[in-house]
Amino acid sequence: MKNLIVPLDRLGDFDEIVDVRTPLEYADDHIPGAINAPVLSNEERVTVGTMYAQVSPFEATRLGAALVARNIAEHLQTVFADRPRSWKPLIYCWRGGKRSGSMTTWFNMIGWQARQLDGGYKTYRRSVLDRLETLPAQFRYVVLTGHTGTGKTRLLEALAAEGAQALDLERLAAHRGSLLGALPRQPQPSQKRFETGLVATLSGFDRARPVFVEAESSRIGRISVPAALLERVHGGDCIEVRASIRDRVAFLLQDYAHLFDEPEGFKQTLARYTLLHGKKVVQRWQDMIDADARAQLFTELIELHYDPAYARSSGAHFRGLDRALRCTLTGDADDCRAQARELLRTLDEAAPRISGITVPTP
């Protein structure tokens, strides 16, 4: 069996990666690109584990073997029914034990060149944590700073469209970062899955080119940004993104329009600001929701909440603010793309003076 076990650095040698853990384990996190073909369902794994602890390891193993055999047979008739004779899959479970070993054995008996990942997902997860300690330091960062609603995310997306390397932490975290930032009908990933996506994204970047990233706090919703990345980003060169109050309100109304679809939930969220702003102010904001006074509400949120919060926190974190370049956005999408192109040209010309940044013009 030893010759069927391969190390993590051989992931690229296989036609397909198969995760045989339960759907819940797979949803929590998995190797990028892996498909899920569980040999035990969520409920079956609980049943076998309970029997192992409370009845008999032997009886639990016998039941588990029967369930695994039945599930592998089902997968052979469905998920893997069209795989060719030359197919080379890599199989993994939690730590490279019986679940992945069973499928690997059966696949090789059929004639496929299946292999089992040494140490399973546990080994992969350890490699992600190790890379999070070292990978962020291999890049130079250009940080988009600025008040809430100035269009930083729009500019980041425009820079990516113009060929720059953009690290969109809010997209990876499925959250816009503020108290109101939860996305409609899109739950945040687990911390593990966020970190897997972060490592995968950074691994695809060219170390000779800078990485554009939006200024974030240490938490994006319930996701924690790794300390090693935050430290590098806080020391990066800054671009201060600006917009008029009118355009900022327009941006926020576009980004947060869904909040008005559930006004009671929106009001409950704003109630969490009571200790900071007092009952009278929060009640006024809640009344604006009832009156559908959207522009008035976001104008007050900008002036009374977001801007004071930015003034308190930004200077303490981003060391490059005193030499930041400035970029002003309007609500026009074409203007954002034009600003991105101009910004890339400006950075290219200023490269000798700004920490050695070189950004090729698309």
Side-chain angles (χ1 to χ4, degrees):
M1 185 67 180
K2 284 186 178 181
N3 62 336
L4 299 182
I5 298 176
V6 299
L8 186 62
D9 60 10
R10 287 189 55 191
L11 286 181
D13 294 351
F14 297 89
D15 298 325
E16 199 162 16
I17 301 174
V18 181
D19 184 326
V20 301
R21 298 174 304 156
T22 65
L24 280 175
E25 291 174 289
Y26 178 83
D28 186 50
D29 187 37
H30 55 268
I31 296 175
I35 66 168
N36 189 212
V39 297
L40 290 174
S41 69
N42 299 324
E43 297 76 15
E44 288 168 346
R45 187 174 184 232
V46 171
T47 297
V48 172
T50 301
M51 180 178 289
Y52 190 95
Q54 298 181 3
V55 180
S56 161
F58 173 77
E59 294 297 333
T61 301
R62 182 166 63 179
L63 173 62
L67 295 172
V68 166
R70 186 182 307 154
N71 290 327
I72 290 176
E74 175 67 18
H75 293 320
L76 287 171
Q77 293 176 320
T78 55
V79 178
F80 305 117
D82 62 348
R83 300 307 192 268
R85 171 68 179 82
S86 60
W87 184 51
K88 291 178 58 178
L90 177 66
I91 318 297
Y92 75 91
C93 59
W94 165 241
R95 54 186 176 188
K98 293 179 180 179
R99 287 186 288 175
S100 57
S102 299
M103 183 173 278
T104 302
T105 298
W106 274 105
F107 279 14
N108 278 280
M109 289 174 65
I110 292 168
W112 287 318
Q113 300 177 56
R115 296 294 182 267
Q116 181 182 6
L117 177 62
D118 189 16
Y121 169 80
K122 190 175 181 180
T123 293
Y124 173 76
R125 174 63 182 163
R126 186 163 53 246
S127 77
V128 168
L129 293 176
D130 290 343
R131 297 197 72 189
L132 283 175
E133 291 293 327
T134 59
L135 193 56
Q138 298 176 24
F139 299 95
R140 301 190 310 278
Y141 299 90
V142 179
V143 189
L144 306 184
T145 66
H147 292 81
T148 297
T150 51
K152 297 185 293 295
T153 300
R154 286 169 173 78
L155 180 57
L156 187 68
E157 292 170 349
L159 286 164
E162 293 297 325
Q165 296 186 140
L167 176 60
D168 192 339
L169 294 172
E170 292 184 1
R171 180 185 59 79
L172 289 173
H175 198 283
R176 291 195 175 98
S178 67
L179 180 63
L180 304 178
L183 300 182
R185 296 175 297 280
Q186 185 176 351
Q188 287 195 265
S190 67
Q191 182 70 32
K192 291 178 181 178
R193 192 158 186 182
F194 169 80
E195 290 168 353
T196 286
L198 177 57
V199 167
T201 301
L202 288 175
S203 297
F205 286 158
D206 180 353
R207 290 165 176 76
R209 302 173 60 206
V211 173
F212 289 86
V213 62
E214 187 176 343
E216 302 287 354
S217 65
S218 61
R219 292 187 68 83
I220 305 175
R222 59 181 177 80
I223 295 295
S224 296
V225 180
L229 176 63
L230 274 179
E231 175 62 25
R232 291 290 294 179
V233 169
H234 287 166
D237 294 292
C238 293
I239 295 168
E240 184 182 356
V241 184
R242 296 180 172 185
S244 68
I245 288 290
R246 179 178 178 179
D247 283 324
R248 290 172 65 189
V249 170
F251 288 150
L252 290 174
L253 286 175
Q254 292 172 24
D255 292 342
Y256 296 108
H258 63 278
L259 293 174
F260 293 91
D261 295 336
E262 298 182 6
E264 293 306 313
F266 190 6
K267 288 193 286 187
Q268 289 177 15
T269 301
L270 288 179
R272 295 167 63 183
Y273 288 144
T274 301
L275 287 178
L276 187 61
H277 296 287
K279 291 182 179 180
K280 184 177 180 179
V281 170
V282 171
Q283 183 61 57
R284 183 171 73 247
W285 292 344
Q286 293 172 332
D287 292 342
M288 290 177 188
I289 295 174
D290 290 331
D292 203 31
R294 302 186 180 196
Q296 184 182 359
L297 172 60
F298 278 107
T299 300
E300 285 210 13
L301 285 173
I302 286 172
E303 294 175 344
L304 300 182
H305 177 72
Y306 287 122
D307 284 4
Y310 179 80
R312 289 192 300 269
S313 64
S314 60
H317 294 303
F318 296 97
R319 297 186 287 277
L321 275 177
D322 58 343
R323 60 180 187 277
L325 296 177
R326 291 180 175 83
C327 178
T328 301
L329 296 184
T330 69
D332 184 85
D334 290 335
D335 173 70
C336 193
R337 289 290 294 269
Q339 288 281 18
R341 289 191 292 271
E342 180 62 27
L343 183 57
L344 291 172
R345 283 194 291 269
T346 300
L347 289 177
D348 191 28
E349 294 169 359
R353 303 192 303 275
I354 306 179
S355 301
I357 291 177
T358 55
V359 184
T361 303

